[in-house]
Amino acid sequence: MLTGNNSIYLLIMVWAAWSVLALVAAILGVGDITYKAAEGINKQVGFYHSPTWTIEKIVLVPIYLIVTSKAVIAWLQYRDSFASIPGFSAWEYRVSTFRMAFYAVLIVSIVVIFGLQWYGNYLQPILDGPNAVVAPNWIRVTTNPIELAPERLVVGISLFAGLYIGTIYWLCFSSLLLLYIAAHDLSEIHEKDKSHDNTSRYGESRAAAQALIIALYRSVICGVLMSMVIKVSVLYLDTDAPNITTWFTRDILSGFGYAEQSWNWLGDRQLAAQTSFMFLFTITSVAYLGIYRVKLAVEAAKQPLLVSHLSLTAVPTAMIMTFGLVGVFQGFSLLVLLSLIVGAWQLITPSLRFHPTTTQLPPSTSPRR
């Protein structure tokens, strides 16, 4: 799905499944709906107002899949020119050595992201009805969602939505794992091809290394943005703001000291974003393992330094710090908006400073007489 010629159909599947949910939300009338969170506070929890179902699912996830998929496909075209290296493994064999990692990704996506979250966040609160203590969302839209639709229908919709989320993260983690395997592949090339006596091959290996580093860097940026969107959506449910737009407006004005009415927490905050933190930690860790695997392999082969540590880490570190500060103080949304702008710019034009690519052979490493 991620490396074939028809990988575009994967994006169509993502958008099509989202469209089904959007249509269901419109039919049930929960695309734009509020619930009474406290006395005098009606909160908007409609499907169309949730950043996790709009910004993340129809914008960031497709961008992430495009970045990773195109990079792996490009690498498969690059590696054909290295096939003559003695002992260099075939791509199918290389992927098969990571089968346990792929199984782990599948199990986590099905059991944890889909199964446990669906049961705890959707099924149990629906069955509890008015006694549910979890903040409603567009599926658990009132204290008793069965008033809007039959119980079986609501459970079925939540099941489909949970399965969709689990599949999305399965695709994201799997595509990142493929990208890491490509980085591992490139490092083996430099280990087995010690001579570097082919000028054309040398230039191609540098170009491939740069392409992989850029793709892994973009995956980090996209992962941070996705995690931030998830955390903002979860924290919003614990505030007294009627909708996310009002929450951000009040917060920005509070940051500048002009707010007539600041926002407050409704009660004890939920553990905001176990999912977002797990996603952020996994994406960042695996991506940087791949980046430095490529970087160290190229440098060990006596090729010019690819990219500096500062340019690799400066922007992602600032964005991760913003992720940690979401909801911590009045005015945090200024940092979030700045991160969204910087992140979008990094996806378009990554600020990675590579040394000029050269097709000259590296200097001889033989000792001077």
Side-chain angles (χ1 to χ4, degrees):
M1 290 187 295
L2 291 162
T3 62
N5 295 327
N6 297 324
S7 57
I8 185 64
Y9 293 127
L10 184 63
L11 301 180
I12 295 175
M13 289 168 53
V14 171
W15 283 320
W18 182 89
S19 299
V20 170
L21 288 171
L23 181 61
V24 168
I27 293 174
L28 294 180
V30 293
D32 184 352
I33 194 168
T34 62
Y35 81 99
K36 186 177 181 179
E39 188 64 33
I41 300 176
N42 293 321
K43 292 186 68 66
Q44 175 61 252
V45 290
F47 179 86
Y48 306 131
H49 296 267
S50 172
T52 55
W53 288 103
T54 52
I55 297 175
E56 184 197 7
K57 297 300 187 299
I58 64 178
V59 179
L60 293 177
V61 168
I63 290 175
Y64 181 89
L65 293 176
I66 290 172
V67 167
T68 52
S69 179
K70 286 185 66 177
V72 175
I73 292 172
W75 168 245
L76 293 179
Q77 296 172 345
Y78 270 121
R79 84 188 307 275
D80 290 339
S81 61
F82 306 112
S84 60
I85 298 176
F88 186 46
S89 304
W91 173 253
E92 290 75 12
Y93 173 78
R94 175 80 66 224
V95 173
S96 70
T97 61
F98 285 82
R99 65 167 63 90
M100 295 308 297
F102 281 107
Y103 283 132
V105 166
L106 182 62
I107 291 172
V108 169
S109 300
I110 291 178
V111 175
V112 179
I113 298 178
F114 163 54
L116 295 181
Q117 286 207 121
W118 173 67
Y119 178 81
N121 293 336
Y122 293 101
L123 180 60
Q124 192 60 50
I126 288 173
L127 297 179
D128 288 345
N131 299 319
V133 296
V134 182
N137 61 18
W138 67 277
I139 295 176
R140 321 180 301 265
V141 71
T142 66
T143 54
N144 188 358
I146 301 171
E147 294 176 358
L148 294 177
E151 180 179 350
R152 290 183 181 180
L153 178 59
V154 175
V155 172
I157 294 169
S158 69
L159 182 65
F160 181 78
L163 185 60
Y164 175 72
I165 294 173
T167 303
I168 287 293
Y169 288 118
W170 171 60
L171 291 173
C172 289
F173 291 142
S174 297
S175 62
L176 181 65
L177 183 55
L178 280 175
L179 198 53
Y180 175 79
I181 294 173
H184 178 78
D185 216 15
L186 181 66
S187 67
E188 185 184 85
I189 287 174
H190 288 85
E191 292 173 3
K192 294 189 176 296
D193 191 24
K194 299 289 187 181
S195 61
H196 299 290
D197 57 355
N198 188 312
T199 303
S200 175
R201 180 181 293 173
Y202 171 73
E204 289 175 351
S205 68
R206 270 189 56 90
Q210 290 186 10
L212 284 176
I213 287 178
I214 290 173
L216 287 162
Y217 178 82
R218 279 177 166 148
S219 70
V220 171
I221 297 295
C222 206
V224 176
L225 291 175
M226 293 165 69
S227 303
M228 203 176 299
V229 166
I230 296 171
K231 187 173 182 181
V232 166
S233 297
V234 173
L235 283 181
Y236 156 71
L237 294 176
D238 292 328
T239 68
D240 61 354
N243 54 65
I244 285 185
T245 302
T246 301
W247 184 31
F248 268 54
T249 301
R250 289 179 182 176
D251 186 70
I252 291 173
L253 293 176
S254 296
F256 287 114
Y258 294 113
E260 296 181 1
Q261 178 185 1
S262 60
W263 59 272
N264 297 289
W265 300 111
L266 287 174
D268 294 333
R269 280 177 285 175
Q270 299 177 12
L271 274 180
Q274 308 103 319
T275 302
S276 65
F277 177 77
M278 182 192 71
F279 187 82
L280 175 62
F281 177 79
T282 303
I283 294 293
T284 304
S285 300
V286 175
Y288 273 110
L289 282 175
I291 287 174
Y292 279 96
R293 179 140 200 168
V294 173
K295 179 177 170 60
L296 295 175
V298 172
E299 291 174 1
K302 308 300 181 184
Q303 297 186 16
L305 181 68
L306 277 176
V307 63
S308 69
H309 297 285
L310 182 61
S311 63
L312 281 172
T313 58
V315 173
T317 299
M319 294 179 64
I320 290 172
M321 290 176 63
T322 300
F323 167 84
L325 294 173
V326 171
V328 172
F329 58 90
Q330 301 281 339
F332 77 90
S333 55
L334 292 169
L335 293 178
V336 172
L337 294 176
L338 180 61
S339 290
L340 291 175
I341 294 171
V342 172
W345 180 253
Q346 291 297 296
L347 290 174
I348 299 170
T349 310
S351 58
L352 300 180
R353 297 186 178 182
F354 291 95
H355 283 241
T357 302
T358 176
T359 57
Q360 294 179 355
L361 292 175
S364 174
T365 57
S366 58
R368 293 185 178 179
R369 294 184 181 275

